[in-house]
């Protein structure tokens, strides 16, 4: 069976940026299961997985447009350090802000730069993928919009 609409694809992946930094990996965890064709995954990933079958290993390269979108400059703001209750501010800390979840990307003197873009916005994504299973989705899974069992919802 190959991955097509309304099949459940299960795969291991390692995500790297163009500098070879590992951003995420399923190694050491359950493989990821998803229902193909209903928007569970970013568009570029679904395109890369379409038509693949269990046992296949390959790399999917995804542009920001088909990943987490371009970085929007309007979502980057500079605020005064005095606006934080937290004393020990550090780059990488995340806060809930009116613009969404924001990450501190720079601290210079009393100015803190907050970025509400998705952390992977503007990043070209390289997924090393190994498909471990492909099966038909059940009616219940399709009704819920997610996979049940290992690698999916357990409810
Ligand atoms: Zn469910």
């Amino acid at each position: 069976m190959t991955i097509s609409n309304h099949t459940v694809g299960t795969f291991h992946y390692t995500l790297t940026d163009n500098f070879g930094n590992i951003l995420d990996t399923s190694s050491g965890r359950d493989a990821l299961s998803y229902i193909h064709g209903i928007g569970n995954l970013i568009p570029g990933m679904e395109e890369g997985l379409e038509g693949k079958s269990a046992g296949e290993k390959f790399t999917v390269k995804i542009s920001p447009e088909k990943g987490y979108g371009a970085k929007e400059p309007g979502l980057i703001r500079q605020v005064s350090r005095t606006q934080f209750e937290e004393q020990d501010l550090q780059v990488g800390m995340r806060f809930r802000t009116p613009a969404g979840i924001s990450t501190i990307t720079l601290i210079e003197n009393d100015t803190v730069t907050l970025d509400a873009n998705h952390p992977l916005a503007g990043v070209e994504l390289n997924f090393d993928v190994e498909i471990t299973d492909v099966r038909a989705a059940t009616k219940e899974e399709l009704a819920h919009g997610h996979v049940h069992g290992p690698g999916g919802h357990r409810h």
Side-chain angles (χ1 to χ4, degrees), residues 57-58 60-61 64:
K57 277 182 164 183
F58 51 94
V60 182
K61 193 172 188 69

Side-chain angles (χ1 to χ4, degrees), residues 18-146:
N18 284 347
F19 306 100
N21 300 306
I22 295 178
L23 305 176
D24 190 16
T25 179
S26 65
S27 180
R29 305 200 303 252
D30 280 341
L32 180 72
S33 291
Y34 79 106
I35 302 174
H36 193 79
I38 63 168
N40 279 175
L41 303 182
I42 53 175
M45 195 63 184
E46 296 225 358
E47 281 178 23
L49 293 169
E50 174 96 33
K52 298 293 199 290
S53 50
E56 285 193 71
K57 277 182 164 183
F58 51 94
T59 300
V60 182
K61 193 172 188 69
I62 301 174
S63 65
E65 290 66 34
K66 290 192 172 177
Y68 294 93
K71 227 183 205 336
E72 291 184 38
L75 293 177
I76 301 170
R77 293 186 311 134
Q78 294 190 321
V79 297
S80 166
R81 184 191 276 270
T82 58
Q83 295 194 18
F84 295 86
E85 287 175 23
E86 182 88 35
Q87 293 301 308
D88 186 26
L89 290 180
Q90 289 179 10
V91 169
M93 282 180 165
R94 308 189 81 196
F95 293 89
R96 197 171 289 279
T97 70
I101 302 289
S102 296
T103 306
I104 294 182
T105 55
L106 187 68
I107 302 172
E108 266 183 338
N109 301 319
D110 282 336
T111 304
V112 176
T113 302
L114 282 173
D115 188 345
N117 284 287
H118 187 285
L120 295 178
V123 178
E124 202 162 52
L125 308 170
N126 304 284
F127 282 94
D128 281 322
V129 176
E130 181 177 6
I131 309 274
T132 59
D133 189 55
V134 182
R135 64 172 172 82
T138 65
K139 279 186 182 150
E140 194 184 43
E141 286 173 325
L142 287 171
H144 288 199
H146 56 231

Side-chain angles (χ1 to χ4, degrees), residues 144 146 148 153 155:
H144 288 199
H146 56 231
H148 294 156
H153 282 244
H155 66 104

